[in-house]
Amino acid sequence: MDEAKRMEEGLSIPHNGDGDSIQQIVEQEQQPLVKQTKKRVATLDAFRGLTIVLMVLVDDAGGAYPRIDHSPWNGCTLADFVMPFFLFIVGVAIALALKRISKVKDAVNKIILRTLKLLFWGVLLQGGYSHAPDDLSYGVDMRFIRWCGILQRIALVYCVVALIETYTTKLRPSSLKPGHLSIFSAYQWQWLGGFVAFVIYMVTTFSLYVPDWSFVDYNSQEPKRYTVQCGMRGHLGPACNAVGYVDRQVWGVNHLYSQPVWTRSKECTLSSPAEGPFLKNAPSWCRAPFEPEGLLSSISAILSGVIGIHYGHVLIHFKGHSERLKQWLTLGLVLFTIGLILHFTDAIPINKQLYSFSYVCFTAGAAGIVFSVLYLLIDVWNLRTPFLLLEWIGMNAMLVFVMAAQGIFAAFVNGWYYKDPDNSLVNWIQNHVFINVWHSERLGTFLYVIFAEITFWGVVAGILHKLGIYWKL
């Protein structure tokens, strides 16, 4: 095996007294500007793990702390960062995974297969079949199955972004032209795909006519039909937006999410932003279903994946830490600022339910900044130990998502109860080890989520990592 081949595979080669071999010096002068990554970038796993941790935290502690739960409509809370952070890191991972493609056809087949797997697990976990963790029953009435969800949105974004990356593989540059913006022009097809998604979303959102519509409230004791009066276009409120109209037409109103976050809005309840009984004069739309991971909003979400893949391209093409951080932070700050300007000028409010353009910019900018900070701490300053829990969770993100975020493991444990379903190990630990000890349901719930869920699954993921066991689609 010659030295060039050994160098490519990361094996050691003889050095001269200065620490570099003559062969290395020659190859460093000849090799392109593309960064040949020799080791796994730990920030990728830590960022993915951070996103899973945020999801578990806001899902299971959001009821006790409504301020971190999803914003009832306009605005952005801690929970609203989870979805765009997922899509951002999916984009980064696509760039690295598809850095080299030997056969386009094989790559496309793998992308389609993985997309189908994500769709399957999405419908199974969030379509209504699973009632975990509190309800021990299972099954779904097909008249009301929910077709959309978190994994379904990730599947769509992954499929579109990965296919663009694959089909443009022959157009990729081996080296970048001089200039700060050369990285953008080098991957113009990816940005063109994001621009097409942006145009489709914006044109539909502001030009589609939304007529009056009706629905049946099945959450009340007796089903009752309500009518929502619209007859307008370009509306960004809960009742008459184009995002909801598209989903009602495509999926049907009974197949949308039946407990939307707008039920916690001031128009619907005095308990806002927490859950509470409806006002007597609450608008009819307060009781209506709405899909937060719907079709039109998922088209807008493609932009989050495109921005993420750009960060991956920067990681591939730029060798130095300072060059990478300069590129990442510049774009992150620009996007973050654009989102704030659009929101506070009331041009386009930040809205997770609509996945508005300002929301895309604001959250993608935040993701880029957080990613840069983690990269600086973990991969530049080598502060691995404080973030090991996040790394482990990120390496087994699918496992922790299913078992913890979707409550499958807790539901399994709850199935072994004594006399009454409430007398289960999970409930006993939550009440006696946390809530009763601290004499506070809010603090006890928070500590339970931190230690009995996040820390527990972090340790489990760490053990599985040591054993080389990973759940990947």
Side-chain angles (χ1 to χ4, degrees), residues 144-204:
F144 304 101
I145 187 173
R146 181 187 176 199
W147 296 114
C148 300
I150 295 171
L151 292 180
Q152 294 93 311
R153 170 168 285 176
I154 293 176
L156 173 65
V157 174
Y158 165 78
C159 185
V160 172
V161 176
L163 286 178
I164 295 175
E165 185 79 353
T166 300
Y167 280 117
T168 60
T169 181
K170 295 182 179 180
L171 303 176
R172 300 180 196 174
S174 59
S175 61
L176 297 179
K177 297 178 180 179
H180 184 75
L181 300 179
S182 61
I183 185 69
F184 293 92
S185 59
Y187 291 93
Q188 56 186 328
W189 290 104
Q190 284 77 354
W191 287 106
L192 179 61
F195 179 74
V196 171
F198 164 77
V199 171
I200 293 174
Y201 174 82
M202 294 295 285
V203 170
T204 306

Side-chain angles (χ1 to χ4, degrees), residues 35 314 317-326 375:
K35 171 66 175 178
V314 170
H317 280 276
F318 291 88
K319 294 181 179 182
H321 296 314
S322 60
E323 294 174 304
R324 291 173 174 175
L325 289 170
K326 180 180 178 181
Y375 180 80

Side-chain angles (χ1 to χ4, degrees), residues 353-365:
Q353 307 305 308
L354 301 178
Y355 220 97
S356 63
F357 179 63
S358 57
Y359 174 74
V360 172
C361 294
F362 179 74
T363 54

Side-chain angles (χ1 to χ4, degrees), residues 36-285:
Q36 303 296 326
T37 303
K38 295 183 182 180
K39 65 178 182 178
R40 187 181 184 93
V41 179
T43 303
L44 298 174
D45 294 318
F47 188 93
R48 191 182 296 109
L50 174 64
T51 306
I52 292 289
V53 166
L54 286 179
M55 172 176 280
V56 174
L57 178 65
V58 299
D59 282 354
D60 295 342
Y65 296 88
R67 294 293 180 182
I68 69 172
D69 203 351
H70 290 291
S71 174
W73 197 245
N74 292 336
C76 191
T77 63
L78 190 62
D80 295 322
F81 286 103
V82 173
M83 174 56 75
F85 275 31
F86 264 131
L87 300 177
F88 173 88
I89 200 63
V90 164
V92 177
I94 289 173
L96 299 179
L98 300 179
K99 182 168 58 175
R100 298 184 185 91
I101 299 176
S102 56
K103 294 183 180 180
V104 173
K105 183 178 179 181
D106 292 342
V108 171
N109 290 337
K110 291 181 180 179
I111 292 169
I112 298 300
L113 179 59
R114 191 179 191 191
T115 300
L116 293 176
K117 289 179 180 179
L118 287 168
L119 291 173
F120 168 77
W121 280 104
V123 173
L124 181 64
L125 294 171
Q126 294 193 300
Y129 182 84
S130 171
H131 303 162
D134 299 322
D135 192 341
L136 299 180
S137 64
Y138 65 91
V140 59
D141 186 340
M142 292 299 292
R143 297 176 301 168
F144 304 101
I145 187 173
R146 181 187 176 199
W147 296 114
C148 300
I150 295 171
L151 292 180
Q152 294 93 311
R153 170 168 285 176
I154 293 176
L156 173 65
V157 174
Y158 165 78
C159 185
V160 172
V161 176
L163 286 178
I164 295 175
E165 185 79 353
T166 300
Y167 280 117
T168 60
T169 181
K170 295 182 179 180
L171 303 176
R172 300 180 196 174
S174 59
S175 61
L176 297 179
K177 297 178 180 179
H180 184 75
L181 300 179
S182 61
I183 185 69
F184 293 92
S185 59
Y187 291 93
Q188 56 186 328
W189 290 104
Q190 284 77 354
W191 287 106
L192 179 61
F195 179 74
V196 171
F198 164 77
V199 171
I200 293 174
Y201 174 82
M202 294 295 285
V203 170
T204 306
T205 297
F206 290 98
S207 66
L208 186 63
Y209 178 79
V210 180
D212 298 347
W213 56 282
S214 62
F215 67 96
V216 177
D217 180 18
Y218 292 98
N219 294 322
S220 56
Q221 294 180 349
E222 294 185 4
K224 182 179 179 181
R225 179 170 292 277
Y226 293 88
T227 299
V228 181
Q229 296 182 350
C230 291
M232 62 183 70
R233 67 182 83 236
H235 186 66
L236 299 180
C240 304
N241 58 78
V243 171
Y245 176 66
V246 169
D247 288 327
R248 291 191 295 272
Q249 296 301 306
V250 174
W251 313 115
V253 69
N254 290 335
H255 296 285
L256 309 183
Y257 187 50
S258 60
Q259 297 175 321
V261 296
W262 67 33
T263 59
R264 298 187 286 105
S265 63
K266 295 179 180 180
E267 293 87 349
C268 299
T269 178
L270 289 174
S271 303
S272 180
E275 293 182 357
F278 286 126
L279 295 168
K280 291 183 178 180
N281 59 343
S284 57
W285 54 261

Side-chain angles (χ1 to χ4, degrees), residues 333-353:
L333 290 172
V334 168
L335 290 171
F336 191 82
T337 303
I338 292 174
L340 288 177
I341 292 174
L342 290 174
H343 179 75
F344 286 106
T345 58
D346 291 327
I348 303 177
I350 294 175
N351 190 294
K352 187 266 179 187
Q353 307 305 308

